[in-house]
Amino acid sequence: MSVKIVEHATIIDGTGRDPYPATITITGDRISAVDEQAVSDNVNGTRLDASGLTLMPGLIDAHCHMTFDESSSNDELFFHRREALAAIIAGQNVKKLLQAGVTAFVDPDCIFDIGVDLRDAIEANVIPGPRMLSGGNALLTSVGGTAGRLIPDAGLRGYAKVVSTPDEIRTEVRRQIKMGVDWIKVHVTGLLPRQKMKGEIQAWSLDELKLVCDTAHELGVPVMGHCRDANSIRDSVIAGMDMLLHANFMDEPTLDLVIDKKVPITPTFTFQANLADHGHTVGADENLREIFRREIEESAELIHKANKNGVPILCGSESGFSLTPYGEWHYRELEVFVKELGFSPLEAISAATMQCGNHAGFDGETGSIAVGKLADFILVDGNPAADVTILGDKSRIKSVYVGGELMNTEPLPPRKPISGWRTSQYSSSILTKDKIDG
């Protein structure tokens, strides 16, 4: 069994502890020793000099859509994707996560059924990539999710599987578990054409949510819910959900319930933050930018309070869309946590490492630098405990290890256009005669 000894590093262990100097010994795929004293030269193994570098757990992205290929619209995602090509492209895109220091991620839902296959290919060493946990198709009712009328009244479209009856719910949950999913995802809320309330509207009854959770839990599989209003969060917690995605627009009674049950939250602010701060560079609507900016501000206080009361808060980037391309923004959630939620840099790092390792389905096997943990770590030029945005500079991520193995982080060759893969427009606005006449 191979032995590696990483010497002279400054350790950020993911627990929130202040950085400290130590030598790390890796035996096989696990950390076998963390020594704050120098390791004797008599210890056999390959020695790696990490002088001047920070050794920390690799980032874990608890919300990453690996099969979407940076879609710019639901139209593109639903009608411009082909199953075999989507799988091949996902196998290339996953390498971009390694370049950004991501050593594990959760893909909540996928197009077709390719998430499980991608995970299995990574685990079999067919494709190099971070550790992966996969959901199947997101469960929706005929009310739909955030794609409105693009969602059919029944069947499958894109990532969405529409279920309406108790039998359909049970059958689909069991089918996905038979296929090998690690998570069941429910799109608990959605948008209506003439909706008057803020956020989204709950599209599932409490009894339906309980049926999903009971069916999945009977077979040992956890359930996560996309929840963007207080009622959906409350009912998801009562139903037995194991993770809440977004959890925006909470009220105080709902927060108290979340705190009581300690249900992990993955706020996933990166998409909103990118649109609010940088949307003008890609032509985003100014009104939408302002809506998302306010959404972060309004959610920050309650999620900060949840964190202070022991609710695990996890980092997720929602990479997979045109505003959150792979390999670019996985650090961004840490920055938002520090700037908007009042986290210290070390708390934000813990949210992106140990908390995900403990609560995103990895069973505590990864996410921290400690004896017995999987040797998933990165070497960084700089001190992320002082400035988490260092993690957004890929030139500072000097080495990435998964299971004690050094991963290839060389950039991929530029990709050429694929016919029919992206949506195209005749124009960005309507050509009226007034525009010509001035």
mmCIF file of all heavy atoms in Angstrom, residues 13-46:
data_model
loop_
_atom_site.group_PDB
_atom_site.id
_atom_site.type_symbol
_atom_site.label_atom_id
_atom_site.label_comp_id
_atom_site.label_asym_id
_atom_site.label_seq_id
_atom_site.Cartn_x
_atom_site.Cartn_y
_atom_site.Cartn_z
ATOM 1 N N ASP A 13 -8.208 22.374 8.664
ATOM 2 C CA ASP A 13 -8.731 20.997 8.728
ATOM 3 C C ASP A 13 -10.217 20.869 8.425
ATOM 4 O O ASP A 13 -10.743 19.758 8.352
ATOM 5 C CB ASP A 13 -8.391 20.341 10.058
ATOM 6 C CG ASP A 13 -9.028 21.020 11.271
ATOM 7 O OD1 ASP A 13 -9.939 21.852 11.081
ATOM 8 O OD2 ASP A 13 -8.614 20.704 12.406
ATOM 9 N N GLY A 14 -10.925 21.992 8.228
ATOM 10 C CA GLY A 14 -12.339 21.942 7.887
ATOM 11 C C GLY A 14 -13.275 21.980 9.068
ATOM 12 O O GLY A 14 -14.488 22.101 8.893
ATOM 13 N N THR A 15 -12.741 21.895 10.277
ATOM 14 C CA THR A 15 -13.593 21.872 11.472
ATOM 15 C C THR A 15 -13.904 23.260 12.003
ATOM 16 O O THR A 15 -14.737 23.401 12.898
ATOM 17 C CB THR A 15 -12.915 21.078 12.595
ATOM 18 O OG1 THR A 15 -11.743 21.795 13.049
ATOM 19 C CG2 THR A 15 -12.507 19.683 12.124
ATOM 20 N N GLY A 16 -13.215 24.270 11.494
ATOM 21 C CA GLY A 16 -13.316 25.620 12.025
ATOM 22 C C GLY A 16 -12.137 26.011 12.888
ATOM 23 O O GLY A 16 -12.024 27.169 13.304
ATOM 24 N N ARG A 17 -11.265 25.064 13.158
ATOM 25 C CA ARG A 17 -10.060 25.345 13.937
ATOM 26 C C ARG A 17 -9.144 26.287 13.156
ATOM 27 O O ARG A 17 -9.076 26.238 11.926
ATOM 28 C CB ARG A 17 -9.331 24.039 14.241
ATOM 29 C CG ARG A 17 -8.028 24.204 15.004
ATOM 30 C CD ARG A 17 -7.314 22.870 15.195
ATOM 31 N NE ARG A 17 -6.003 23.051 15.796
ATOM 32 C CZ ARG A 17 -5.139 22.069 16.028
ATOM 33 N NH1 ARG A 17 -5.454 20.816 15.691
ATOM 34 N NH2 ARG A 17 -3.967 22.310 16.585
ATOM 35 N N ASP A 18 -8.409 27.129 13.893
ATOM 36 C CA ASP A 18 -7.440 28.004 13.252
ATOM 37 C C ASP A 18 -6.367 27.190 12.539
ATOM 38 O O ASP A 18 -6.056 26.059 12.942
ATOM 39 C CB ASP A 18 -6.766 28.909 14.286
ATOM 40 C CG ASP A 18 -7.696 30.001 14.800
ATOM 41 O OD1 ASP A 18 -8.665 30.336 14.083
ATOM 42 O OD2 ASP A 18 -7.461 30.512 15.916
ATOM 43 N N PRO A 19 -5.796 27.727 11.466
ATOM 44 C CA PRO A 19 -4.731 27.006 10.755
ATOM 45 C C PRO A 19 -3.556 26.676 11.670
ATOM 46 O O PRO A 19 -3.248 27.429 12.614
ATOM 47 C CB PRO A 19 -4.316 27.995 9.655
ATOM 48 C CG PRO A 19 -5.508 28.879 9.469
ATOM 49 C CD PRO A 19 -6.124 29.018 10.827
ATOM 50 N N TYR A 20 -2.886 25.546 11.389
ATOM 51 C CA TYR A 20 -1.751 25.118 12.195
ATOM 52 C C TYR A 20 -0.788 24.324 11.315
ATOM 53 O O TYR A 20 -1.189 23.719 10.318
ATOM 54 C CB TYR A 20 -2.216 24.263 13.378
ATOM 55 C CG TYR A 20 -3.005 23.025 12.986
ATOM 56 C CD1 TYR A 20 -2.368 21.792 12.804
ATOM 57 C CD2 TYR A 20 -4.381 23.097 12.796
ATOM 58 C CE1 TYR A 20 -3.083 20.658 12.433
ATOM 59 C CE2 TYR A 20 -5.106 21.959 12.425
ATOM 60 C CZ TYR A 20 -4.455 20.751 12.251
ATOM 61 O OH TYR A 20 -5.165 19.639 11.882
ATOM 62 N N PRO A 21 0.495 24.324 11.655
ATOM 63 C CA PRO A 21 1.464 23.552 10.870
ATOM 64 C C PRO A 21 1.394 22.070 11.239
ATOM 65 O O PRO A 21 1.229 21.714 12.412
ATOM 66 C CB PRO A 21 2.805 24.162 11.276
ATOM 67 C CG PRO A 21 2.567 24.701 12.649
ATOM 68 C CD PRO A 21 1.140 25.137 12.707
ATOM 69 N N ALA A 22 1.515 21.211 10.250
ATOM 70 C CA ALA A 22 1.491 19.776 10.530
ATOM 71 C C ALA A 22 1.999 19.020 9.311
ATOM 72 O O ALA A 22 2.109 19.552 8.208
ATOM 73 C CB ALA A 22 0.084 19.303 10.897
ATOM 74 N N THR A 23 2.294 17.757 9.552
ATOM 75 C CA THR A 23 2.662 16.824 8.498
ATOM 76 C C THR A 23 1.566 15.774 8.395
ATOM 77 O O THR A 23 1.114 15.231 9.407
ATOM 78 C CB THR A 23 4.012 16.154 8.818
ATOM 79 O OG1 THR A 23 5.037 17.148 8.820
ATOM 80 C CG2 THR A 23 4.343 15.083 7.798
ATOM 81 N N ILE A 24 1.137 15.507 7.171
ATOM 82 C CA ILE A 24 0.047 14.576 6.920
ATOM 83 C C ILE A 24 0.615 13.313 6.277
ATOM 84 O O ILE A 24 1.366 13.391 5.300
ATOM 85 C CB ILE A 24 -1.012 15.193 5.979
ATOM 86 C CG1 ILE A 24 -1.475 16.549 6.495
ATOM 87 C CG2 ILE A 24 -2.187 14.241 5.795
ATOM 88 C CD1 ILE A 24 -2.122 16.520 7.834
ATOM 89 N N THR A 25 0.254 12.179 6.837
ATOM 90 C CA THR A 25 0.644 10.901 6.236
ATOM 91 C C THR A 25 -0.587 10.240 5.637
ATOM 92 O O THR A 25 -1.641 10.166 6.274
ATOM 93 C CB THR A 25 1.285 9.970 7.278
ATOM 94 O OG1 THR A 25 2.420 10.624 7.861
ATOM 95 C CG2 THR A 25 1.736 8.671 6.626
ATOM 96 N N ILE A 26 -0.441 9.792 4.402
ATOM 97 C CA ILE A 26 -1.534 9.144 3.671
ATOM 98 C C ILE A 26 -1.121 7.715 3.369
ATOM 99 O O ILE A 26 -0.070 7.481 2.761
ATOM 100 C CB ILE A 26 -1.839 9.885 2.366
ATOM 101 C CG1 ILE A 26 -2.247 11.330 2.669
ATOM 102 C CG2 ILE A 26 -2.919 9.183 1.565
ATOM 103 C CD1 ILE A 26 -1.794 12.302 1.633
ATOM 104 N N THR A 27 -1.922 6.779 3.804
ATOM 105 C CA THR A 27 -1.683 5.360 3.514
ATOM 106 C C THR A 27 -2.834 4.849 2.669
ATOM 107 O O THR A 27 -3.987 4.855 3.111
ATOM 108 C CB THR A 27 -1.570 4.549 4.810
ATOM 109 O OG1 THR A 27 -0.525 5.107 5.636
ATOM 110 C CG2 THR A 27 -1.241 3.098 4.500
ATOM 111 N N GLY A 28 -2.516 4.453 1.452
ATOM 112 C CA GLY A 28 -3.583 4.079 0.530
ATOM 113 C C GLY A 28 -4.420 5.288 0.185
ATOM 114 O O GLY A 28 -3.912 6.305 -0.278
ATOM 115 N N ASP A 29 -5.734 5.207 0.434
ATOM 116 C CA ASP A 29 -6.621 6.323 0.086
ATOM 117 C C ASP A 29 -7.069 7.125 1.293
ATOM 118 O O ASP A 29 -7.928 8.002 1.169
ATOM 119 C CB ASP A 29 -7.844 5.805 -0.677
ATOM 120 C CG ASP A 29 -8.725 4.872 0.157
ATOM 121 O OD1 ASP A 29 -8.329 4.508 1.288
ATOM 122 O OD2 ASP A 29 -9.815 4.499 -0.336
ATOM 123 N N ARG A 30 -6.460 6.868 2.468
ATOM 124 C CA ARG A 30 -6.905 7.551 3.687
ATOM 125 C C ARG A 30 -5.760 8.231 4.423
ATOM 126 O O ARG A 30 -4.597 7.874 4.267
ATOM 127 C CB ARG A 30 -7.617 6.566 4.626
ATOM 128 C CG ARG A 30 -8.932 6.057 4.044
ATOM 129 C CD ARG A 30 -9.709 5.204 5.013
ATOM 130 N NE ARG A 30 -10.946 4.735 4.389
ATOM 131 C CZ ARG A 30 -12.123 5.354 4.477
ATOM 132 N NH1 ARG A 30 -12.219 6.461 5.212
ATOM 133 N NH2 ARG A 30 -13.191 4.882 3.868
ATOM 134 N N ILE A 31 -6.151 9.214 5.212
ATOM 135 C CA ILE A 31 -5.197 9.907 6.076
ATOM 136 C C ILE A 31 -4.908 9.002 7.276
ATOM 137 O O ILE A 31 -5.820 8.608 8.005
ATOM 138 C CB ILE A 31 -5.766 11.259 6.541
ATOM 139 C CG1 ILE A 31 -6.009 12.178 5.328
ATOM 140 C CG2 ILE A 31 -4.828 11.926 7.543
ATOM 141 C CD1 ILE A 31 -6.807 13.427 5.656
ATOM 142 N N SER A 32 -3.649 8.672 7.451
ATOM 143 C CA SER A 32 -3.286 7.755 8.535
ATOM 144 C C SER A 32 -2.630 8.464 9.720
ATOM 145 O O SER A 32 -2.532 7.886 10.806
ATOM 146 C CB SER A 32 -2.357 6.651 8.019
ATOM 147 O OG SER A 32 -1.229 7.203 7.371
ATOM 148 N N ALA A 33 -2.197 9.710 9.511
ATOM 149 C CA ALA A 33 -1.591 10.452 10.621
ATOM 150 C C ALA A 33 -1.639 11.940 10.318
ATOM 151 O O ALA A 33 -1.497 12.364 9.167
ATOM 152 C CB ALA A 33 -0.144 10.018 10.858
ATOM 153 N N VAL A 34 -1.865 12.720 11.363
ATOM 154 C CA VAL A 34 -1.758 14.176 11.314
ATOM 155 C C VAL A 34 -0.845 14.566 12.458
ATOM 156 O O VAL A 34 -1.231 14.512 13.632
ATOM 157 C CB VAL A 34 -3.129 14.870 11.457
ATOM 158 C CG1 VAL A 34 -2.967 16.394 11.405
ATOM 159 C CG2 VAL A 34 -4.094 14.400 10.378
ATOM 160 N N ASP A 35 0.397 14.888 12.132
ATOM 161 C CA ASP A 35 1.416 15.117 13.158
ATOM 162 C C ASP A 35 1.806 16.584 13.200
ATOM 163 O O ASP A 35 2.267 17.147 12.197
ATOM 164 C CB ASP A 35 2.662 14.283 12.852
ATOM 165 C CG ASP A 35 2.388 12.782 12.931
ATOM 166 O OD1 ASP A 35 2.102 12.302 14.035
ATOM 167 O OD2 ASP A 35 2.444 12.124 11.868
ATOM 168 N N GLU A 36 1.611 17.198 14.356
ATOM 169 C CA GLU A 36 2.025 18.592 14.508
ATOM 170 C C GLU A 36 3.512 18.696 14.830
ATOM 171 O O GLU A 36 4.048 19.798 14.960
ATOM 172 C CB GLU A 36 1.156 19.280 15.565
ATOM 173 C CG GLU A 36 -0.304 19.316 15.147
ATOM 174 C CD GLU A 36 -1.180 20.147 16.056
ATOM 175 O OE1 GLU A 36 -0.728 21.217 16.483
ATOM 176 O OE2 GLU A 36 -2.326 19.729 16.323
ATOM 177 N N GLN A 37 4.164 17.553 14.935
ATOM 178 C CA GLN A 37 5.625 17.508 15.038
ATOM 179 C C GLN A 37 6.161 16.883 13.751
ATOM 180 O O GLN A 37 5.457 16.180 13.032
ATOM 181 C CB GLN A 37 6.062 16.652 16.245
ATOM 182 C CG GLN A 37 5.462 17.097 17.573
ATOM 183 C CD GLN A 37 5.932 18.476 17.982
ATOM 184 O OE1 GLN A 37 7.087 18.842 17.736
ATOM 185 N NE2 GLN A 37 5.035 19.256 18.588
ATOM 186 N N ALA A 38 7.406 17.142 13.444
ATOM 187 C CA ALA A 38 8.011 16.603 12.224
ATOM 188 C C ALA A 38 8.007 15.070 12.263
ATOM 189 O O ALA A 38 8.187 14.462 13.323
ATOM 190 C CB ALA A 38 9.437 17.114 12.065
ATOM 191 N N VAL A 39 7.785 14.461 11.118
ATOM 192 C CA VAL A 39 7.794 12.997 11.010
ATOM 193 C C VAL A 39 9.230 12.534 10.758
ATOM 194 O O VAL A 39 9.952 13.114 9.948
ATOM 195 C CB VAL A 39 6.871 12.541 9.859
ATOM 196 C CG1 VAL A 39 6.995 11.042 9.634
ATOM 197 C CG2 VAL A 39 5.429 12.904 10.179
ATOM 198 N N SER A 40 9.607 11.514 11.471
ATOM 199 C CA SER A 40 10.975 11.008 11.361
ATOM 200 C C SER A 40 11.319 10.638 9.926
ATOM 201 O O SER A 40 10.488 10.115 9.167
ATOM 202 C CB SER A 40 11.145 9.787 12.269
ATOM 203 O OG SER A 40 12.350 9.127 11.987
ATOM 204 N N ASP A 41 12.580 10.883 9.538
ATOM 205 C CA ASP A 41 13.063 10.491 8.222
ATOM 206 C C ASP A 41 13.060 8.976 8.045
ATOM 207 O O ASP A 41 13.177 8.476 6.925
ATOM 208 C CB ASP A 41 14.483 11.032 7.990
ATOM 209 C CG ASP A 41 14.499 12.546 7.847
ATOM 210 O OD1 ASP A 41 13.436 13.105 7.527
ATOM 211 O OD2 ASP A 41 15.572 13.153 8.044
ATOM 212 N N ASN A 42 12.926 8.257 9.164
ATOM 213 C CA ASN A 42 12.921 6.800 9.087
ATOM 214 C C ASN A 42 11.599 6.236 8.570
ATOM 215 O O ASN A 42 11.509 5.053 8.231
ATOM 216 C CB ASN A 42 13.213 6.196 10.469
ATOM 217 C CG ASN A 42 14.618 6.527 10.944
ATOM 218 O OD1 ASN A 42 15.539 6.632 10.131
ATOM 219 N ND2 ASN A 42 14.775 6.703 12.249
ATOM 220 N N VAL A 43 10.546 7.103 8.535
ATOM 221 C CA VAL A 43 9.254 6.659 8.025
ATOM 222 C C VAL A 43 9.339 6.568 6.510
ATOM 223 O O VAL A 43 9.679 7.538 5.831
ATOM 224 C CB VAL A 43 8.129 7.624 8.454
ATOM 225 C CG1 VAL A 43 6.812 7.194 7.833
ATOM 226 C CG2 VAL A 43 8.025 7.673 9.973
ATOM 227 N N ASN A 44 9.047 5.397 5.984
ATOM 228 C CA ASN A 44 9.140 5.195 4.544
ATOM 229 C C ASN A 44 7.909 5.751 3.840
ATOM 230 O O ASN A 44 6.789 5.636 4.336
ATOM 231 C CB ASN A 44 9.272 3.705 4.226
ATOM 232 C CG ASN A 44 10.598 3.137 4.706
ATOM 233 O OD1 ASN A 44 11.622 3.823 4.647
ATOM 234 N ND2 ASN A 44 10.583 1.895 5.176
ATOM 235 N N GLY A 45 8.134 6.326 2.682
ATOM 236 C CA GLY A 45 7.030 6.849 1.884
ATOM 237 C C GLY A 45 7.519 7.948 0.969
ATOM 238 O O GLY A 45 8.641 8.453 1.091
ATOM 239 N N THR A 46 6.678 8.326 0.032
ATOM 240 C CA THR A 46 6.982 9.435 -0.868
ATOM 241 C C THR A 46 6.739 10.745 -0.145
ATOM 242 O O THR A 46 5.631 10.984 0.353
ATOM 243 C CB THR A 46 6.091 9.362 -2.122
ATOM 244 O OG1 THR A 46 6.305 8.111 -2.778
ATOM 245 C CG2 THR A 46 6.411 10.497 -3.081
#
